[in-house]
Amino acid sequence: MVLAVQSSGQRRVSRRSFLLAAGALGAGFALDGCAPAQSSTAATEITFYVSKPEVIGYFDRVIEQFHKSQDAVRVVRDSTSSMSADFVRNQPPDLGCWNYNFAVAEFVKHGALSDLSDMAEAKSINPKLWPLVDQTAQYPGRTSAIPYSVMAASVIYNKDVFAKHGLSVPTTRSQLVKICQTLQDANIAPFYNTIKDTWTVGQGMFDYSVGGMVDVPRFFSALGSEGTSLNAGSAASFQKDFKAPMDRMLQLAAFANKDAASRGYADGNLAFAQGKAAMYMQGPWALNEIAKTAPALKLGTFPLPVTDDPADLKVRVNVDLALWIPEASRKKDAARQFLSFLMRPDINDKYNADNNGFGVRKDAPPASNPALAGMQKYYDDGAFYLGASQLIPASIPVSNYAQSIALGSAPDALLKTLDADWARLALRNV
Amino acid sequence: MSLIRTSRPSRTSSPSRKRRVEPVFYAFLLPTVLAFTLAITVPALMGITLSFTDSVGFGEFKFIGLTNYIAAFSDPAILKAYGFTIGFALVTVVLVNVVSFFLALGLTEKIRAKVALRAVFVLPMVISGIVIAYVFNFLFSNSLPDFATAIGLKPLETSMLANPDLAWLALVLVTAWQAVPATLLIYIAGILSIPADVYEAAALDGATAWRKLASITIPLAAGYIVINVIMGFKGFMNAYDVIVGLTGGGPGTSTTSVAMSIFNGFGSGDYSYQMANATIFFLIAIVIALLQLRATHGKTTF
């Protein structure tokens, strides 16, 4: 209740919600929205941002549950893509539940997010995940965000097609190439590629090929120390270190549907669900989309073999959702209260089970979807990497470059451009 | 036209007679001036200021002089975006104006179903750009390749949007399809405002249709051509939604427009750098506008 007393004076309708209310439904709704403010219940109202539109329903039910469990904190859920604008106006949400990638990186690096290291929830996190968080962005001495859900991505394969042709999951490159040839001879597209949508190329064949043979964290830290002087002669460079992965990527691009250049993500999900290809380089988010067309399709996953050494097998991960509380929030205690509620094992685990995520706590159960079982071992062993396309700053259109390479441009020229872009970025970020 | 034309005499004649302007006119201007200042001028000045800093859009920043500008001028990605945007705007403005001018000629003649046809041609104007882009995206990615395969037209069997050399053409076509109606309406109004007796006189003198077009219609509609070209060019320089929906700036970076690169900087920590880009873009737009006004000076009636 101390909480409530402290903040009762700060209660205000945010500019966004006010404009939305006024604009969309007129004065009636606006008055309605203000009504609780005049009532005597002294609850603290916090804004809660969720970045994924497909999970809003889940969080709305959690919020309802939270409201039933206590009276001191009211949560207003908001989903908007203009998070940057709200930080610019110094009116960020009180609690964010956001994809932990370059979109949040700047806020972390500039200390716009508060330290959560003292929370019990931070201590419950699987320690193997912290390097992923820090690699994306960190602020010295702070735990700026707590992972909520991790997505692991690799090759999705159609178990029936594999069984029909007597194929088993490959662990080396040669096995993979042999599988591709067998399928091609049987007139089945080995891979379904969707080159029209740049991001699918970036997160798929590009990231998998790089992560399967390059030590991603070490490469990027070496690149960071090169800075403006990055060129072909540097200890680490895109031209040198990404050349082999790009050649392997192109080798696989040849084993794909003939119309890959004009296909997008939605086309890919549909075609794969219809059994038009055996393998699909997509993340677990595609599983639910595929299930819309073919709910009974038996799917499995395996990390893309890029070398002939099975020890190199790794899965691509990303911190799909992480919780954070901005420094600018004036209701941090209330936000922390809701954060703790969200992190309760039953709520956190249910979220991950429903959304094909991997658990983030030390005591989290394995992924429940059988299609993800092929990645569990790698995830548990920490055999994972953050996608290179996510570690290159967003101002460098790396997925577009990857698309060009997949469409037939010479990799060398584009890798050289990448090096030059990186050096230029270092120049203006001095 | 009538609106624009009448504004001239009132402006030149009234101040010479009357010293004082009715204060109510200032009141008319006030809302627009306020809105313009708050929504355009102030943010623009803030943006220009930030272009000399290392700001990422929020938090602390320090002034770094011309670093962003120097980096921008040596950035091939930005130079390429300018090349693409200006080329795209030039081709589109020519295509749009030629098509709409001739459509307007047809639609002002005594043809059947004139009103219905006008309605059909104006239809694209009421559909939002992103919707148009998605519909055409489907056509270019599916229908056109299927059609090309059926008739054996090799180069078009893969989507135009996936071809770095052809994607821009697809963008020009879709943008033109969307932009023709507004231009067309202005041309129809312009052509209808040409007095009929001029044509009658020409007909009596035995002028051919071609001669009437070249010596009457085009000169008397010159003001409308200028307006359409200037407005069109300015609009196409800002191309954004159709490109996002059709190619996302690809394949590769071949169709990334300046507006897209500026906007992308907002979410990627490249805020001040792209503000510098925006400032350069603004200056270029001003120069183009001045050149166009100068080139057309005296050729218009307003």
Side-chain angles (χ1 to χ4, degrees):
Chain A
M1 262 312 153
V2 180
L3 248 177
V5 175
Q6 269 178 348
S7 57
S8 58
Q10 297 165 354
R11 150 177 291 288
R12 64 194 153 76
V13 179
S14 78
R15 192 191 311 181
R16 167 176 307 280
S17 57
F18 176 76
L19 286 176
L20 268 179
L25 292 170
F29 185 76
L31 283 175
D32 206 32
C34 294
Q38 292 144 7
S39 75
S40 57
T41 56
T44 308
E45 192 175 284
I46 59 167
T47 20
F48 171 56
Y49 273 24
V50 193
S51 65
K52 283 169 71 112
E54 62 267 39
V55 297
I56 285 170
Y58 180 82
F59 281 109
D60 281 349
R61 285 191 294 279
V62 174
I63 291 169
E64 210 173 294
Q65 218 179 321
F66 180 63
H67 284 170
K68 277 186 197 139
S69 75
Q70 50 76 49
D71 293 322
V73 180
R74 299 279 104 181
V75 179
V76 177
R77 196 257 309 144
D78 194 355
S79 301
T80 163
S81 57
S82 63
M83 183 179 65
S84 317
D86 289 325
F87 270 96
V88 171
R89 293 192 209 109
N90 210 20
Q91 288 188 347
D94 298 302
L95 178 64
C97 183
W98 214 266
N99 195 317
Y100 196 74
N101 62 6
F102 49 78
V104 191
E106 291 303 327
F107 306 123
V108 176
K109 282 188 225 158
H110 289 80
L113 304 183
S114 67
D115 183 25
L116 303 173
S117 59
D118 59 312
M119 294 191 76
E121 285 72 17
K123 295 180 183 90
S124 73
I125 299 295
N126 177 357
K128 285 181 183 137
L129 299 181
W130 290 118
L132 300 177
V133 175
D134 292 343
Q135 233 184 307
T136 301
Q138 59 177 330
Y139 189 81
R142 276 192 199 172
T143 298
S144 301
I146 294 179
Y148 195 71
S149 174
V150 171
M151 291 272 168
S154 59
V155 180
I156 301 174
Y157 72 102
N158 186 326
K159 284 184 173 174
D160 291 338
V161 174
F162 265 50
K164 196 177 151 202
H165 294 88
L167 304 169
S168 54
V169 169
T171 54
T172 65
R173 186 67 175 192
S174 345
Q175 288 171 5
L176 177 67
V177 172
K178 204 173 279 171
I179 287 174
C180 290
Q181 271 152 358
T182 310
L183 289 164
Q184 206 163 43
D185 292 343
N187 257 333
I188 293 172
F191 283 97
Y192 202 93
N193 286 346
T194 52
I195 299 177
K196 190 173 87 176
D197 281 340
T198 48
W199 70 270
T200 69
V201 184
Q203 73 81 36
M205 57 172 114
F206 179 82
D207 278 355
Y208 294 1
S209 302
V210 171
M213 66 189 299
V214 174
D215 183 339
V216 176
R218 191 192 290 169
F219 172 76
F220 277 94
S221 70
L223 213 55
S225 50
E226 289 296 335
T228 51
S229 62
L230 182 69
N231 61 47
S234 304
S237 72
F238 289 107
Q239 287 171 80
K240 210 167 53 193
D241 298 78
F242 278 31
K243 173 74 173 104
M246 289 306 100
D247 289 342
R248 308 246 161 139
M249 176 177 111
L250 285 175
Q251 184 192 19
L252 283 196
F255 289 114
N257 48 317
K258 291 285 159 269
D259 54 358
S262 11
R263 298 293 105 180
Y265 176 58
D267 305 318
N269 293 334
L270 180 65
F272 193 73
Q274 291 167 340
K276 287 187 184 160
M279 294 174 278
Y280 190 36
M281 288 185 269
Q282 267 296 352
W285 42 84
L287 293 173
N288 289 344
E289 300 299 312
I290 294 167
K292 282 179 191 163
T293 311
L297 197 65
K298 285 205 219 70
L299 299 173
T301 44
F302 62 83
L304 182 79
V306 188
T307 70
D308 274 332
D309 184 0
D312 283 340
L313 291 174
K314 287 186 186 130
V315 292
R316 175 195 189 273
V317 289
N318 66 297
V319 180
D320 201 52
L321 288 179
L323 302 170
W324 40 258
I325 299 174
E327 276 293 358
S329 163
R330 275 168 289 178
K331 299 163 189 168
K332 290 197 188 71
D333 290 334
R336 280 173 167 231
Q337 207 176 324
F338 186 51
L339 187 152
S340 299
F341 187 80
L342 285 174
M343 283 302 289
R344 254 173 47 182
D346 56 328
I347 290 169
N348 183 219
D349 292 343
K350 179 154 187 335
Y351 173 83
N352 282 317
D354 286 0
N355 295 286
N356 294 325
F358 279 85
V360 292
R361 286 169 297 105
K362 291 170 196 157
D363 57 352
S368 56
N369 188 335
L372 301 176
M375 292 191 280
Q376 189 72 46
K377 179 169 84 78
Y378 300 95
Y379 184 75
D380 292 342
D381 292 348
F384 49 58
Y385 56 87
L386 282 177
S389 67
Q390 296 294 302
L391 291 169
I392 295 170
S395 46
I396 300 177
V398 60
S399 291
N400 293 56
Y401 295 159
Q403 183 192 40
S404 285
I405 296 176
L407 287 172
S409 299
D412 297 287
L414 283 156
L415 294 176
K416 200 174 165 191
T417 310
L418 255 180
D419 279 333
D421 283 354
W422 184 277
R424 233 186 332 270
L425 195 65
L427 172 75
R428 59 177 192 266
N429 283 351
V430 170
Chain B
M1 185 77 162
S2 57
L3 225 170
I4 302 167
R5 226 186 224 162
T6 50
S7 71
R8 175 40 98 45
S10 67
R11 224 189 322 160
T12 46
S13 61
S14 62
S16 55
R17 305 267 145 77
K18 274 196 284 175
R19 267 256 179 81
R20 247 176 58 84
V21 179
E22 274 297 323
V24 72
F25 289 123
Y26 290 114
F28 289 161
L29 287 177
L30 194 66
T32 312
V33 169
L34 263 182
F36 187 83
T37 311
L38 290 178
I40 310 271
T41 319
V42 173
L45 289 177
M46 280 165 65
I48 292 171
T49 312
L50 285 173
S51 73
F52 297 103
T53 70
D54 65 352
S55 169
V56 290
F58 63 93
E60 292 165 17
F61 57 83
K62 59 176 189 294
F63 281 87
I64 54 166
L66 289 172
T67 309
N68 284 327
Y69 289 86
I70 294 165
F73 277 113
S74 65
D75 188 340
I78 287 194
L79 299 179
K80 195 175 164 188
Y82 276 97
F84 165 73
T85 309
I86 293 172
F88 166 83
L90 279 176
V91 176
T92 313
V93 85
V94 170
L95 183 69
V96 165
N97 281 283
V98 170
V99 169
S100 10
F101 190 80
F102 284 100
L103 271 180
L105 282 181
L107 291 175
T108 46
E109 284 303 318
K110 294 187 188 71
I111 56 169
R112 269 172 204 274
K114 190 161 63 179
V115 177
L117 277 177
R118 278 186 197 174
V120 168
F121 284 115
V122 171
L123 213 56
M125 203 164 113
V126 297
I127 311 172
S128 105
I130 201 80
V131 174
I132 292 176
Y134 278 115
V135 171
F136 274 94
N137 195 333
F138 183 86
L139 294 178
F140 280 122
S141 304
N142 300 291
S143 315
L144 189 63
D146 287 350
F147 180 71
T149 313
I151 62 164
L153 195 62
K154 259 265 169 290
L156 290 180
E157 282 179 14
T158 344
S159 167
M160 273 170 92
L161 301 177
N163 185 334
D165 301 322
L166 286 180
W168 70 274
L169 188 61
L171 295 176
V172 167
L173 291 175
V174 176
T175 308
W177 187 79
Q178 185 196 19
V180 159
T183 320
L184 173 68
L185 287 181
I186 294 180
Y187 279 136
I188 290 179
I191 292 171
L192 286 178
S193 74
I194 299 173
D197 45 3
V198 191
Y199 287 106
E200 277 169 29
L204 288 177
D205 292 342
T208 60
W210 176 247
R211 187 68 204 268
K212 278 192 234 169
L213 174 67
S215 304
I216 300 175
T217 315
I218 291 180
L220 287 179
Y224 300 93
I225 297 177
V226 170
I227 278 283
N228 274 334
V229 168
I230 294 179
M231 304 279 279
F233 192 76
K234 203 192 105 326
F236 302 139
M237 285 283 283
N238 290 326
Y240 183 81
D241 51 355
V242 169
I243 303 182
V244 168
L246 274 177
T247 65
T253 53
S254 57
T255 58
T256 301
S257 71
V258 179
M260 278 178 82
S261 60
I262 292 173
F263 184 76
N264 292 344
F266 196 60
S268 65
D270 235 355
Y271 191 75
S272 59
Y273 180 57
Q274 292 300 351
M275 279 300 146
N277 188 7
T279 308
I280 297 170
F281 194 45
F282 172 65
L283 292 177
I284 291 180
I286 288 186
V287 169
I288 292 172
L290 288 176
L291 282 178
Q292 280 176 324
L293 279 178
R294 206 186 163 87
T296 54
H297 190 73
K299 294 200 184 79
T300 60
T301 49
F302 45 85

